[in-house]
Amino acid sequence: MRIWDEKNETMSREELKQFQLEGLQKTINRIIRHNVTFYRHRFDQVGFNIEKDAIESIEDLSKLPFITREDLKESYPYDLFAVHLRDVVRIHAASGDVGITGFTMEDLKSWSRRVARTLCSAGLDEDDVLQIALSYGLFPGAFGYHYAAENIGASVIPTSTTHIKRQLRILQDYKSTAIVSTPSYILRLIREMKDNGINPKHLSLKYAILGAEPWTDDMRREIEENLYVSAYFHYGVESVFGPGIASECREKNGLHIFEDHFIPEIIDTKTGKSLPYGEEGELVLTTLTMEAFPLIRYRTGDVTRLYLSDDVCPCGRTHIKMDPVKRRYDDLIVFRGINLYPYQIQNILKEIIQDEPRFRIVLYRENGDDLMDIQLEITENIFHDEMKVERRFIRDVEHRILHELGFEVSIRLIENDSLPDGELIEDKR
């Protein structure tokens, strides 16, 4: 079984702990050298003197404060950068209206190598043809897989999120052996194949590497049984570099976190207290090798568990494992691989109706496709006697959300004061 970076992916726990300590010390020194005022202020708040208080062990990480998505927003655009802007060769946006992230040339090389691990752990090599059905644009996800595939010598087809019929035709004609996408998009692809009488056994597809939204083992089985592929979880956080944080190996019993690049922690989301291995909590990540955009104790909001066994995984990798992420602690919505917060929809509605909207977001899955309804209470600013005017209003709101947020929704007008208080999101998926 091939391992992309055998030296670092199979190092002993003792070697790994020392490697992490040195990486953490380098990150702190980089923050000091480039005088990142954001971190200086946060460290001062918890009484940590960045020049005098030494980091002598990984356990000293607990002395440092957490970083949150709100901090990323407040530091927009460049207050968290730890290099001069002239050294930043790439800038991407993080979805969910969080902010931006930057990359030095070495960051890009490191990112490519990390994501190459994800491809290799699924079984891909230089003989494969990888179809990337993720959106190319300000969000970094698709680019990480693009570079990684080229790194391992595989052929790349950057289809992005093209029309589903064209995606399928390319899958057939180009003889793709692997696809990277969201699970909901693959389920749509399967439905399209069934509707058109296409036999999946006639495809060359062998692997599906899926993520960017929560999914389950039942969905994995459905995809594998209908496409005759081996499907793998991968994990990334766009504000921490997109993909390339953790991925499944061929054993499919947890995702290996790349501990030579990240220090993972699990905390109680209410108290911030660290939790032991095996307990469910919020995943916290500290970057060790990022030059432009280092993050210390970043609270991802993702709920998972960490597992550390005395027995080495049969694949040979020694890095700690995490469960696939099935849910979050905050009100972030992951919809068709896009992250958004309810306030983004609220701001659009408020601007259109010139009033504070009362609404609820309903998420559900139909024929494998993620769908969103927005239930909007009728007010004086919305009510119209003419059905034609009302339909135009609904169409205008749906178009505005599609234009600004990048996905389709259905607006449902409901009676005033009919929504329960405190239930802004109803997720039926």
Side-chain angles (χ1 to χ4, degrees):
M1 189 178 297
R2 185 182 183 190
I3 298 178
W4 177 251
D5 185 359
E6 189 163 358
K7 176 184 176 182
N8 288 321
E9 293 184 70
T10 63
M11 68 173 68
S12 69
R13 297 305 302 177
E14 292 75 17
E15 291 175 310
L16 188 54
K17 193 170 184 179
Q18 181 61 31
F19 191 94
Q20 288 180 325
L21 175 59
E22 293 173 3
L24 180 58
Q25 291 170 337
K26 288 178 182 177
T27 298
I28 296 296
N29 289 335
R30 173 176 293 277
I31 289 170
I32 295 173
R33 188 166 65 252
H34 290 275
N35 193 29
V36 183
T37 55
F38 175 87
Y39 278 115
R40 286 184 174 274
H41 292 157
R42 291 304 300 273
F43 290 167
D44 287 344
Q45 290 173 0
V46 297
F48 182 83
N49 189 309
I50 196 169
E51 275 89 9
K52 296 180 180 179
D53 293 338
I55 297 292
E56 297 178 341
S57 70
I58 294 298
E59 288 68 31
D60 288 338
L61 187 62
S62 62
K63 300 176 183 178
L64 305 179
F66 295 112
I67 303 298
T68 67
R69 294 176 69 90
E70 285 300 316
D71 293 324
L72 301 191
K73 289 173 63 176
E74 292 174 9
S75 65
Y76 177 88
Y78 300 128
D79 287 354
L80 268 171
F81 280 27
V83 297
H84 297 295
L85 197 55
R86 65 175 177 269
D87 295 322
V88 176
V89 298
R90 174 77 63 77
I91 295 174
H92 278 288
S95 64
D97 194 28
V98 172
I100 63 175
T101 182
F103 306 75
T104 65
M105 185 59 71
E106 184 54 40
D107 285 335
L108 290 179
K109 293 177 182 177
S110 175
W111 185 28
S112 172
R113 292 191 292 266
R114 290 204 318 273
V115 186
R117 297 180 182 183
T118 295
L119 299 182
C120 284
S121 63
L124 276 72
D125 59 26
E126 62 273 10
D127 294 323
D128 283 294
V129 179
L130 179 64
Q131 188 162 325
I132 301 178
L134 295 171
S135 177
Y136 280 76
L138 278 176
F139 302 156
F143 293 90
Y145 283 103
H146 190 123
Y147 302 144
E150 292 178 340
N151 205 335
I152 69 173
S155 301
V156 180
I157 310 173
T159 52
S160 190
T161 50
T162 187
H163 190 277
I164 195 77
K165 290 184 181 296
R166 187 162 186 261
Q167 192 86 248
L168 181 55
R169 188 170 68 250
I170 292 172
L171 195 64
Q172 293 174 286
D173 295 347
Y174 293 20
K175 301 187 183 306
S176 306
T177 62
I179 189 168
V180 171
S181 187
T182 62
S184 59
Y185 190 83
I186 294 298
L187 290 171
R188 289 177 59 201
L189 193 71
I190 290 172
R191 188 171 72 250
E192 183 70 21
M193 292 174 64
K194 289 181 177 180
D195 291 343
N196 289 275
I198 298 172
N199 188 342
K201 291 183 178 180
H202 296 162
L203 299 176
S204 302
L205 206 58
K206 297 184 295 183
Y207 312 107
I209 301 170
L210 309 175
E213 63 188 21
W215 58 304
T216 64
D217 284 320
D218 287 340
M219 293 173 68
R220 189 215 297 262
R221 280 190 290 272
E222 181 178 357
I223 291 168
E224 291 184 334
E225 290 172 1
N226 282 279
L227 273 185
Y228 300 98
V229 298
S230 191
Y232 294 89
F233 288 93
H234 72 85
Y235 177 72
V237 181
E238 288 182 348
S239 47
V240 190
F241 239 28
I245 294 175
S247 60
E248 276 187 315
C249 64
R250 301 292 286 275
E251 299 298 316
K252 296 185 180 179
N253 59 1
L255 289 77
H256 292 280
I257 299 179
F258 304 146
E259 288 186 276
D260 54 329
H261 293 276
F262 304 94
I263 299 176
E265 303 173 76
I266 294 292
I267 64 167
D268 183 302
T269 193
K270 293 181 180 179
T271 66
K273 181 181 178 181
S274 294
L275 298 177
Y277 295 133
E279 286 198 25
E280 186 178 83
E282 180 179 1
L283 178 65
V284 174
L285 293 171
T286 295
T287 65
L288 300 175
T289 56
M290 294 183 184
E291 294 182 341
F293 199 70
L295 289 179
I296 304 232
R297 304 195 82 192
Y298 176 69
R299 297 182 60 157
T300 66
D302 292 324
V303 180
T304 186
R305 294 182 178 90
L306 297 181
Y307 296 96
L308 183 61
S309 173
D310 292 333
D311 298 323
V312 175
C313 180
C315 76
R317 296 172 178 85
T318 56
H319 292 177
I320 196 171
K321 291 182 179 180
M322 61 178 277
D323 276 345
V325 173
K326 302 295 198 311
R327 62 187 179 91
R328 291 184 55 84
Y329 274 118
D330 58 18
D331 59 356
L332 177 74
I333 298 170
V334 182
F335 181 71
R336 297 183 179 178
I338 296 175
N339 295 347
L340 73 145
Y341 283 94
Y343 75 82
Q344 294 175 264
I345 291 175
Q346 180 181 22
N347 290 342
I348 292 173
L349 296 174
K350 185 176 181 179
E351 185 176 338
I352 292 174
I353 68 177
Q354 296 296 301
D355 196 3
E356 196 65 43
R358 278 182 54 84
F359 69 100
R360 179 168 58 177
I361 299 168
V362 181
L363 303 163
Y364 59 102
R365 187 166 284 130
E366 191 173 279
N367 295 322
D369 199 10
D370 276 6
L371 301 173
M372 180 187 298
D373 287 350
I374 297 177
Q375 299 175 343
L376 178 62
E377 288 190 359
I378 296 175
T379 65
E380 292 182 0
N381 291 10
I382 297 174
F383 178 76
H384 297 285
D385 290 327
E386 296 184 38
M387 290 294 295
K388 182 172 65 175
V389 177
E390 187 174 279
R391 285 196 296 268
R392 185 166 63 242
F393 167 79
I394 291 174
R395 188 171 61 250
D396 290 346
V397 175
E398 291 174 345
H399 177 77
R400 178 76 174 274
I401 291 175
L402 174 62
H403 176 72
E404 294 197 17
L405 301 182
F407 53 82
E408 295 178 342
V409 302
S410 295
I411 300 295
R412 315 287 187 191
L413 298 183
I414 60 177
E415 292 184 7
N416 196 20
D417 293 327
S418 61
L419 288 176
D421 292 332
E423 294 186 16
L424 189 57
I425 304 170
E426 183 180 3
D427 196 338
K428 301 178 180 179
R429 295 175 293 180

